[in-house]
Every structure is written in C-alpha cells, then in structure tokens.
Amino acid sequence: MTNLFSGYEGTAQEDAIEAEAFIAWHSVCSGEVKDEHNFQCLPLNRGCALSLPRAPGPVLNRVFGLSTVSELDEAYGWMTAKAGARFLQLNIESASDEVKRWIAAKGLHEKGPAWAKLVRSSEADVDYPPSDVTCRKVLSSESELFGSIICSGFGLPENLIPVWASIVEKVEWSCFFAVDGDTPIGTGAMYTSGNRSWLGGGTVLPAFRNRGAQKALIRARIDEGMARGTSTFVVEAKLSWLSTANISYDNLKKLGFEHVYSRSNFVI
C-alpha cells in the first residue's frame, strides 16, 4: 500500500501514534490511580515502555516503538525491574541485524500470536453495512461503566476499571458506547493528535456479539476522527494462530483498514 506516513525514518510512525496515545493515557490517569496500580510509563524517543503489573498479557506491559539497540537496552533495564507480565513488541521483518542479534543475545523468545498493524486513510471508499446498533459518546458520569464494560469484554480484572475510566472526556480522547436501546453493550476509544488517530478499547459484551456492534463502533470513531480533521487512522488486531485473521481483524479490513505489518511478542 502507499505509505501514509512517508518521509518518516526510524520507528514506524504507525507505532509512534500508538505510543503517543499510551503516554497520554498515563498522563491523564490521576496520581492516586497510578500509585494504587503501580501504573508506570517510560517514554523513549518515538516509543515507550509500559508497566501495569495487575494487568495480564502485553497490552499494558510492553516495550514497543523502538528501533535501536541503545533504546532497547534502556527499556530492557527499566522493564526487568518491574513485576508482572513483560513483553517486547517488534516488527522482526524490518528489524536491523544488530537488533536481531540483541534479541538473540538476551535469549528472548516469542509467545502468543503476532499483532497486525492496520492503517486506514480518511479517503477510503467504503460501503458501510446497515446496522440496528447505534453508538453515542460516553458521558463523564459514565466513566466507571465504560471501564467496567471494557474489563468485562476483554476478561480483565475489575480492579482495572479506574485505569480505563481515566480517559473518558479527556481532550485528546473520544470514548463511545454501542447501545442496545438505552443499554451500553460495547465500547470504543480513540486518541487524536494532529491529523492522526489511534483506535483502541474496542470490545462488545459476549451476550451481544455478532450483531454488528463492533463495526458500528469502528464507524463511529472514523466519523468522529474525520470531524476532528483526521486523515490517517491506526489500529492493532491480534492475529490467530491458524490464519492471518480473526473477527476484529476481518471487520477492520471490511471497513477500509489495510494490514501494513505485524509485530511479534517477545517475553522479557
């Protein structure tokens, strides 16, 4: 595909907007929430390292967006001092030989499926499927409900609700509910910086899946992003073991996103 981030060297800018989103997320969390959950973030050039020991898996316990050994050394030293899960996410196909040797020397091994990085232009020509599911923005008074649905949808512990709730109605963030009648059944979040937007937090409660809610949430965020002047949207989707697709991935592809590369998860 045409590089929507042409003229950018080093760390892929598709990773850079994601890192910017998580750094911003950490910054809007209250000191009380960060202290209670030991939520820490280390910005590094155009990437970052994140640690939230109570969260399972790599989403909030990872190093990503780094492209040099010196950056990786600093992140590795910071990350190995943390509790909980610890991962390095890297597009191994584009990594330098020096970085590959560094990974081998550290004895890092891959775990779990890779993550696809997908990008969409605001000019993508897409026919949106009809849907009975509607979406609306989350109110500040509903921040805890927003966090609760995300934790339920992703199977996360309830004690992480305040972490997710912290982004509701913050300046750079747009948070949405998919609703069944008046009842929120799914969530989606978006971080916007300049003409770029990163999508995350997309989930639907199990009892309401396969009804078009995820597609509706994707469309709601694209519409909001375009209203904010977004020209490029970025998102990640976990790949399955047996193929290069899953439901989330398929829905993103159907709505104009293109798979530009994949990142492997290495255990630190």
Side-chain angles (χ1 to χ4, degrees), residues 100 126 180 187 200 242 244:
K100 291 176 182 177
V126 176
D180 178 41
T187 60
L242 300 178
T244 59

Side-chain angles (χ1 to χ4, degrees), residues 216-262:
L217 285 162
I218 295 169
R219 180 175 183 176
R221 286 175 286 176
I222 290 172
D223 289 346
E224 173 70 13
M226 292 177 68
R228 286 178 169 233
T230 296
S231 61
T232 305
F233 298 86
V234 177
V235 68
E236 301 78 47
K238 186 185 294 185
L239 298 174
S240 70
W241 280 113
L242 300 178
S243 69
T244 59
N246 60 23
I247 293 174
S248 296
Y249 179 97
D250 287 345
N251 285 336
L252 289 163
K253 293 277 285 184
K254 290 173 182 176
L255 296 184
F257 283 84
E258 297 185 59
H259 183 166
V260 292
Y261 57 85
S262 297

Side-chain angles (χ1 to χ4, degrees), residues 93-108:
E93 292 185 2
S94 68
S96 67
D97 290 341
E98 185 181 18
V99 166
K100 291 176 182 177
R101 288 193 293 270
W102 182 89
I103 291 172
K106 295 294 185 186
L108 306 185

Side-chain angles (χ1 to χ4, degrees), residues 84-149:
R86 298 176 304 198
F87 291 87
L88 165 65
Q89 285 190 332
L90 192 72
N91 176 5
I92 196 66
E93 292 185 2
S94 68
S96 67
D97 290 341
E98 185 181 18
V99 166
K100 291 176 182 177
R101 288 193 293 270
W102 182 89
I103 291 172
K106 295 294 185 186
L108 306 185
H109 64 276
E110 292 185 48
K111 180 178 181 180
W115 287 18
K117 177 71 74 171
L118 300 103
V119 175
R120 183 194 192 276
S121 166
S122 61
E123 298 177 356
D125 186 12
V126 176
D127 291 326
Y128 290 103
S131 175
D132 294 330
V133 179
T134 59
C135 298
R136 65 170 177 83
K137 285 190 175 180
V138 180
L139 304 176
S140 59
S141 60
E142 300 172 311
S143 61
E144 292 294 311
L145 177 59
F146 177 79
S148 175
I149 292 176

